[in-house]
Amino acid sequence: MKTVHPLPDEASVVPVRQPLITVEKLTVDMPLGRSGSSVRIVDGVDFTIGVGERVALVGESGSGKSLTARALMRLDRLAKLSGRVDFDGTDLLKLSDRDMGKLRGSSIAMVFQDPMSFLDPLMTIGDQVAETLRIRGIGKAEARKRALAVLDELGVDRAAERLDAYPHEFSGGMRQRVVLAMALVGEPRLLIADEPTTALDVRVQDQVLDLLDDVSTRRGLAVLFITHDLGVVAGFAERVMVMYSGRIVEDGEVASVFAKPSHPYTQGLIKAVPRIDQDLNTLYAIPGAPPPPLARPSGCPFHPRCDQRFDRCGVDLPALQPVGMSRVACHLLDGKGA
Amino acid sequence: MLAFRAYSWFLSRRLGLALLTLWGLASLVFLMIKLMPGDEAQMAAGADASAAQIEAVRERLGLDAPVIMQYFSFLGRLLRGDLGTSIVTLQPVLADLEKVLPSTLELVFIAMLLNLAVAIPAGIVAAYRQGGVFDATSRVTAVMLGGMPAFWLALVLQYVLGSVWRVVPISGQQSYGMASPIVTGAPTLDALMALNVGAFFDALHHIILPAAVLAALFATQIFRTLRASLLGVLRSDFIMAVRAKGATARHMLVRHALPNSLNPVLTLSGTQAGAMIGSAVLVETVFARQGIGAYMFNAVAQKDAFAVLGSVMFIGTVVCLVNLIVDILQLLVDPRIRAAQLGSQGQ
Amino acid sequence: MTAPAIAQPAARRKEGFSAFEMFVFALVVALLAIAVFGPFFAPDSIYSSDIANSLMPPSAANWFGTDDQGRDVFWRLIVGAQTTLLSAFLVVTLYSLIGVTIATVAAAGPRWLDEGLMRITDIGLALPGMIVALGFAAAMGASLRSAVIAMAITGWPITARMLRGIMRQTMEQPFVAGAQVLGVSKWRLMTKHVLPNSLDVLIVKWAGDIGTTVLVLASLSFIGVGAQPPSAEWGATIASARGYVSTAWWTVVAPGAAVAITSIAFGLLGDIIQVRRDPSLRGN
Amino acid sequence: ASAADREHTIIVGLGGQINTLDPLRADYNQTNTIISAVYDTLVTYDDTKLVGSLATEYAYSDDAKSITFTLRPDVKFHDGTALTAKDVAYTLDRLKRLGAGVASLIDGYDSTTVTDDTHLTINLSKPNTLFLPSLSKIYILNSALVETNKGGDDGQGWLQAHDAGSGPYVLGDQSQAVVIDLFPGYWAAEAGRPESIVFRRIDESSTRRDELRAGNIDVAFGFADRDAAAMATDPALKVVPINTSYQTEVVFNTKVGPTADPKVRKALRMVYDYAGGLRGVRGGNGKVANGPLPARLDCRPELPEVKRDLEAAKAMLAEAGASSLKLKMNFQPVFELQKQEATLFQSNLREIGIDLELEPIAYPNYLASLKDPNSIPQMMLLEDFAQFPDAGIMLVKGYKSDAIGTNRTGYANPEVDKLLDTALATADDAKRCDLYKQVQTILDNDSVMVDMYGVYKPAAYRVGTLADLKASMLATPAEPADFRLAKP
Amino acid sequence: MLMSIDSISKSYNAFPNPPAKVLHDVTLNVDTGEAIGLVGESGSGKSTIAKCMLALIKPEEGRITYDGIDVIHAKGDDLRRFRREVQMVFQDPYGSLNPRMTVEELIGEGLLIHKLEPTAAARRARVAEMMEMVGLNPNDMDRYTRSFSGGQRQRIAIARALVIRPRILVCDEPVAALDVSVQAQVINLLQDMQKKLNLAIVFVAHDLAVVRHLCEKIVVLHKGKVVEQGSRDEIFGAPKMPYTQSLLAAVPVPDPVVGRARRAARRLETAN
Ligand SMILES: Nc1ncnc2c1ncn2[C@@H]1O[C@H](COP(=O)(O)OP(=O)(O)OP(=O)(O)O)[C@@H](O)[C@H]1O
Ligand SMILES: Nc1ncnc2c1ncn2[C@@H]1O[C@H](COP(=O)(O)OP(=O)(O)OP(=O)(O)O)[C@@H](O)[C@H]1O
Ligand SMILES: [Mg+2]
Ligand SMILES: [Mg+2]
């Protein structure tokens, strides 16, 4: 049944793509209690995703990946957003709530981390998948038919029978397919997948990745893939953006970033992953833990954990600058490093 | 077929437990009454009865038997659906209850309707517009209403609305000449059955203030519970998923948020049903309604053992029944509970 | 290798109190202060009938007027605060103790014990509190003591039921298995690990219950069970004034307002605790 | 309600539960009020005077062991059958069989000899001059009707909601409220009786007041004095302080405890603020008492009113060696005014350093406590009243040493016992009266109670509905049969 | 042989359906000082085995013996010794520490209840020493765990388990909830401790790369059955069973070249 899609030859030149979504100086502030003060979680993020492009956003827990993703769809009711999110020529941050609502699900869709908690436990699978269409005024029978088609496409076996089942009756992998079906049924152009495989075990994760791979290729769908697992990135994405403490610290083609990571944080992340295909030695561990948004260190937020830091790191915030094919935010690359 | 068996198993188990509870309740109250001082035979024989007369009555009513025997004969009669005879009215307790129950049930039912009809929409709006003007005012109102003694509120409102402004009747269940033929005993229902619109509205007019007073305290509880529960649900991930599909606020609230936050509200209204009948005593007294509250109160005052037992058994039955209904509703609302309780894996 | 000292601030920062919260605290403190110290300032005459001056409207001498015995309504309210709040605290404490004990035993015990206790709890839930109070009043004489005991023995089932459910949930938490693996005794497991992590919700309930209990005590007085003359307990005060709504409104309004304010203050206190515990419930 | 129009209907606001309409239960006040209009008795009271009703003539035998009656010939039950001596016999025999309710009044009934339809003789097991007055509470049943509906309980269940009487009213529709309708064939028909009388239960005095003001009811009884005062200014209402046999009093346990000492009792009598209580609690609706029996009864001696005198009370207590007493008084919490009187007494006693604990007591408990002098409350606040206006019944039930269960003071005085026994066998009214007076003087000297005041029960009606409101000594405060429309 | 698990079976009640058997005749042994990896997909029964090993639940069939103690029926002194010598670290670093206890109380609890250190001062010293050892700052002893990060909590959990010097430490997916960077810290710590304390470790995980790093012996579970067990080299070098092979194949590799190649190969395989 499955079509096997030939993998791009990594020697081939990266195709020049039409930009689909362009994010400029995006910041996300979250309110703190009732005091009226807020904390900046995402701090001036710029990036572009081309039509049909697969981009991975990686970073440790709490670095702001999810908030960035949700900001693109304006899903956090409490978040204060600023900057520009240009989608197909319109600035999403300036749209009315109604118009934004129309865009959601049909132009941009989202798949979430924990498939269980992102399904309404009281509604049948079929209704939930069809809901995206029903909201748009499509008739019940038609919506159901299309839901069934998407579920079939995603390899849910006996899909017709299972339309009337409830989420709790599905296994983790199946649920993730359902969530994916919910996102795809509206035929969006950009899919934001927020850690869609983190809660799954390796084998199921693998299946879901294959699925995403197939669907995005077949539909020419752009995917923003959020994860903290570099292994997953390597096998799936074309481009990777590394996020640390609310900022992008490195952004480049997957091949070049993995081959020669520029930022010490990226280097650390890659070294810290235990690998099945290499000799055993002590794992490299980045010391310490990422800073919470309220206690970001001055200068480069990574400097307290960085083993290549020097004086300037504690003072100046490095900007994201082009370095070869990539962009990197690190003072080391200013040529003045150790 | 499988589902049917699962449901009947569930129901019979619940009914069994309810019967067990009722038996425990009956035993407890029986014991309590027998421990109370006062002589039933004397109450039956009359205040001025002589010792010999009292003894004669005692024998006739079977009160000379040891308490344990009385207990067993009480249980035996109970099994045959006989709640015993009141020593005050000298009537079968069941017959007495038939007269007073409909009125109380009507009051409690309408109060419950009012309670839910006000509290649920208010809770939804308050939770969705958390921090807004409606949220603030409704929360303050809830706290205020919940803080007043029910009978006090009843007295004050009765005076202001009934006696001074005359917008509602002061007391009673219907106006003179408005009685419909008794079918159920509940004036509103009887009026409906007699197709007497005037009588129906008259009865409704009489019940509205008592029911509102009774509902006030309970509505504040429902409101607060629903609001808290909804806030929790609104924060949950799948609500975000629904929003990501482009759903309108209304759709999201009605189709997703509300069903998911109903469970604690259902549980609460189950416990409220019993408490409402208990509180009905106060409201019935103030508004001069003839219900089980007044009957039971009188029965305790007169040490009318079987009347008390009968009333308590009735309230207990209602509580058990309501809880059973709540269980079933929870089952219907939530497929997970259905799976857990009925054991079917959704085939 | 020692990791650097933790840079993280406390997960939830201490927030200042809003003006409203300060107001509620002040109200509760004021009520408690009145309950504790009020009686020291009250004139002796609050227990002496001055029948010639009964049912006098509010005046400079009697701020809230006088009651049917000609006693000063204001001072009786002040003195009654002590009895009222003390009884309410007593009731809530008593039934909480019973409830916590039953819930703990049920949660810790074998299945049959749990089932048995829960059936007893069901019976308790189905038992109308009013009837038990009337029964107690008949057996022990109608007095505040009977009312308190009756409320204590009818109040526990809800606590027990809720707490047992919460405790069962808590017992599913991995840290409980962790303690079991360490070999802690059942007693320590329940008291040190399970109970402290289950009481949160109930503490909110109890704060609110103080107010509710004041209300129920008032209702019991209304049906003749409760504090007896010459006690200035608020419920008894309202109950005996109930016939004067139109003829001497001050005797009804003043104690009713006292009960309402108290119940509202403690209710709000419960709300505040709850919001502190779970800030998402906050309104403004 | 009924077919009668509102004009000719009187709606009564009645406090308290109407448990049953079985004449057996005429000992319940609410029951008695209603059935007094549905049934007839052999004899009745015109104010305090015993007069014939169904009986035109009656007489004790010389030994007071039997009574002969001559009945009216023209009395019909509501179903049209004639009332005869047989029905009287049936009624009394049934009561004796059942032994409950008003049966306690005919204790000592032996049998009835029916001579013919209108003549009969009642035989007693021992001389009992109280028997005849007691018959004023015994409602005569339609024997044939009860017999056909007797069921398993001698007709008790049936009589609950059905009538078997011959009185001026028949039981009407009982669905929402108790309704009685005029009986056209009444033997003593009089013009002006309402077509229908509706009894609505309204417990709270203030609610009755407001309903009366609003015109939803026409007449109501038992008002709190404060409400009566408030209504007195309303020109649409007429307030009538009904003076029957009610007396507020505190009875002592004369057998055990500190109150067994007559000196202590006497001292305590001098403490209560009679005038203050009457004015403050009762709104002046009453009169300070003198003597153990209510002032409205006949056969009372001229006893002095007790005066409040704290100094004398203290001196008396000192003399009795009981200066710092701790006492306990019971009262019935359902009666708000009694609670106020109890509170006042408590406050009065504190003035002379006596600590009085108040404890409410439910009526069944109180009755049960009377079975043993040791359990009789030390002091009990009561609003006492006579079931029928005869001094003898109150004295015999209340103070004879063998009246266990109704003797509320544990009083045992051979001299009183002897005087009362003599009275029970004395058919001559004047002589009997004299004996009663002697007993009352002894009781008063013995200070068996704090006799506070006779109380008048305010009743009120809407001007233009009733012509008047007449007090009744039998069905207090008023008998519906006495109602007359203002505009018939 | 320190602990032997001898053909145990375990079912969970699914009333009113028949009980579901989740372990079928599982047999495995733990030797002093060795690290065993327990791998398998979600629901394969790994946690169930771990719980049986700790006597948190009882298998219906089979025997579990620890150093002469019949674990399933142990009571009194035997049970106490077992509880001291076999310890556990859980997956969820947020739920597995009692939030109402300070770090000192948490780590010191074992010392207290097993009466290993009679005085409070001595216990404090031991706790400090242990915190030092797992890389925590002893100054944080009086704090509650809510302000600690996931990795730090896992360190506390490890310290809590190790302070009473157990001989076996069962870890149920201790790094699954942690970030890669922190995961490496915890794995290194466990490895370190195993060597220092001559500890036997039973390591439950579904990430084979991690298991490979830590364990010299691997047990592969599938649907409650042991499908393959052997040394690290056997399992990773030449897996015999297809299930093991599929597990291995699914492990992502953080290298675009290798990773894509592996996936392409595997997909061709499954497509055929
Ligand atoms: N509603 C909110 N209010 C305040 N702070 C928030 C809120 N949601 C998230 N945060 C904070 O924002 C930061 C980034 O959160 P985010 O969920 O974007 O991280 P993430 O990179 O997706 O991490 P993870 O891998 O754990 O999903 C965290 O420190 C989190 O505590
Ligand atoms: N308490 C329980 N009651 C009923 N079934 C259970 C219970 N605990 C586990 N199971 C079932 O037993 C099977 C094995 O569960 P177990 O937790 O041992 O798996 P696991 O290998 O640890 O999986 P994971 O990787 O998801 O933690 C699963 O199918 C699970 O649903
Ligand atoms: Mg995230
Ligand atoms: Mg597991």
Side-chain angles (χ1 to χ4, degrees), chain E residues 12-13 22 41-48 173 206:
Chain E
Y12 286 112
N13 264 335
V22 298
E41 66 189 339
S42 191
S44 55
K46 306 182 296 290
S47 299
T48 308
E173 312 210 27
H206 62 245

Side-chain angles (χ1 to χ4, degrees), chain B residues 39-263:
Chain B
D39 182 353
E40 292 159 78
Q42 186 174 28
M43 292 311 292
D48 290 338
S50 68
Q53 283 176 324
I54 293 175
E55 288 319 307
V57 169
R58 191 185 312 285
E59 209 169 307
R60 201 154 49 80
L61 296 180
L63 293 169
D64 51 346
V67 171
I68 186 79
M69 294 316 290
Q70 293 186 39
Y71 171 69
F72 283 118
S73 62
F74 160 68
L75 280 189
R77 283 199 309 268
L78 203 60
L79 284 180
R80 292 194 302 272
D82 176 0
L83 287 176
T85 304
S86 158
I87 53 162
V88 173
T89 66
L90 300 172
Q91 274 277 85
V93 170
L94 209 56
D96 280 351
L97 285 178
E98 269 169 24
K99 279 189 227 140
V100 293
L101 273 183
S103 163
T104 300
L105 285 181
E106 178 187 39
L107 177 67
V108 168
F109 182 75
I110 294 188
M112 194 50 120
L113 276 188
L114 271 179
N115 169 11
L116 298 179
V118 172
I120 289 185
I124 296 176
V125 177
Y128 183 65
R129 302 230 173 273
Q130 184 185 10
V133 177
F134 182 84
D135 188 22
T137 44
S138 58
R139 285 200 320 151
V140 169
T141 317
V143 168
M144 300 282 244
L145 277 182
M148 301 204 199
F151 69 89
W152 186 80
L153 198 63
L155 284 171
V156 172
L157 290 181
Q158 179 190 39
Y159 180 65
V160 175
L161 299 180
S163 302
V164 181
W165 292 350
R166 306 244 171 124
V167 291
V168 291
I170 301 165
S171 69
Q173 326 200 89
Q174 60 207 161
S175 304
Y176 173 76
M178 281 296 188
S180 314
I182 295 262
V183 185
T184 60
T188 47
L189 272 186
D190 285 347
L192 275 186
M193 291 190 175
L195 299 176
N196 185 340
V197 180
F200 173 70
F201 282 105
D202 179 65
L204 214 55
H205 197 201
H206 276 82
I207 208 170
I208 198 78
L209 183 59
V213 168
L214 188 56
L217 178 68
F218 295 96
T220 63
Q221 293 174 354
I222 295 269
F223 169 79
R224 287 161 63 144
T225 308
L226 178 61
R227 179 179 175 274
S229 164
L230 252 179
L231 284 178
V233 171
L234 283 176
R235 255 181 307 141
S236 63
D237 295 337
F238 72 86
I239 289 296
M240 184 167 299
V242 171
R243 279 163 35 82
K245 290 179 186 173
T248 59
R250 197 192 151 93
H251 177 94
M252 181 266 284
L253 282 172
V254 174
R255 289 284 287 133
H256 297 273
L258 188 61
N260 276 284
S261 38
L262 229 42
N263 196 336

Side-chain angles (χ1 to χ4, degrees), chain D residues 87-107:
Chain D
D87 297 301
V88 177
Y90 178 84
T91 302
L92 291 170
D93 290 342
R94 174 176 176 267
L95 275 180
K96 190 183 171 190
R97 275 199 303 278
L98 292 173
V102 286
S104 63
L105 292 175
I106 57 156
D107 199 12

